[in-house]
Amino acid sequence: MKQCSNCSSQIPDENIFCSFCGAAVNGQSAQDPKAQAAQQQQTAQQPYQVPYQQPYQTPYQQPNQQQYQQYYPQNYQHPPYQQTYGAYPQAAQQSGVSTSLILGIIGIVFALLFALVGHICSIIGIVMGVKEYRANGKISGLTVSIVGEVLSIISSIIGAIVGAAMFS
């Protein structure tokens, strides 16, 4: 048994490193050829590893005044800010199609398929149609939404009657 030069612990002869502190055993004696052969065999079996090299990075250079002025000329002025009032209602008026009209049509379609979805779309269409009627005087969206709600109510009543007849 050998003695570790770092922590003075007893180390078996075949160990290359100290099992207590992890230090390499430097003092291998010449009269122990088995340990030297084992160490040579171990180093011969390990593949060669290329040491890690940092990738090359160009150092940061702060732009000088000429480069800065090339991208940002001094005489540049921002365009004046123009605030538009009421852009959304004007866009809705210009398109000619109102949201309440679309919701009313969806309410009519879904009244025949899914009465609950027809109710929801038609009621939202009625509320928006009333607002549109008060603002613009258009009544088409309100009318279509009311028709969609009536059809949804009729579809719900028919569904309740058919359901009651099937389960009784």
Side-chain angles (χ1 to χ4, degrees):
M1 301 232 2
K2 297 184 269 183
Q3 188 172 6
C4 177
S5 59
N6 189 32
C7 67
S8 302
S9 303
Q10 293 293 324
I11 306 168
D13 291 334
E14 62 272 358
N15 283 11
I16 300 171
F17 297 98
C18 176
S19 56
F20 295 98
C21 69
V25 178
N26 296 333
Q28 287 188 350
S29 60
Q31 67 262 22
D32 193 6
K34 288 182 182 178
Q36 287 179 353
Q39 183 181 6
Q40 288 175 354
Q41 185 180 10
Q42 246 184 352
T43 55
Q45 290 176 353
Q46 293 178 351
Y48 175 73
Q49 294 180 349
V50 178
Y52 176 75
Q53 293 179 346
Q54 283 276 34
Y56 178 73
Q57 295 178 349
T58 56
Y60 174 74
Q61 293 179 353
Q62 191 163 353
N64 59 24
Q65 190 68 21
Q66 290 175 345
Q67 290 172 333
Y68 184 78
Q69 286 179 353
Q70 178 183 359
Y71 296 108
Y72 305 103
Q74 289 181 347
N75 58 357
Y76 176 77
Q77 294 181 356
H78 291 284
Y81 177 71
Q82 297 176 354
Q83 186 173 6
T84 57
Y85 293 100
Y88 179 74
Q90 289 175 356
Q93 290 172 6
Q94 291 172 359
S95 68
V97 178
S98 67
T99 310
S100 61
L101 181 65
I102 294 171
L103 285 170
I105 292 170
I106 292 173
I108 290 172
V109 170
F110 276 109
L112 304 174
L113 302 173
F114 305 106
L116 180 63
V117 177
H119 282 298
I120 293 170
C121 291
S122 297
I123 289 172
I124 295 172
I126 290 170
V127 171
M128 294 181 81
V130 168
K131 289 181 183 178
E132 185 178 316
Y133 175 70
R134 289 181 183 163
N136 304 330
K138 289 185 178 181
I139 200 164
S140 60
L142 179 61
T143 306
V144 173
S145 296
I146 290 172
V147 169
E149 180 62 24
V150 169
L151 286 176
S152 296
I153 291 171
I154 293 171
S155 177
S156 297
I157 292 171
I158 292 173
I161 292 171
V162 170
M166 288 177 66
F167 293 111
S168 56

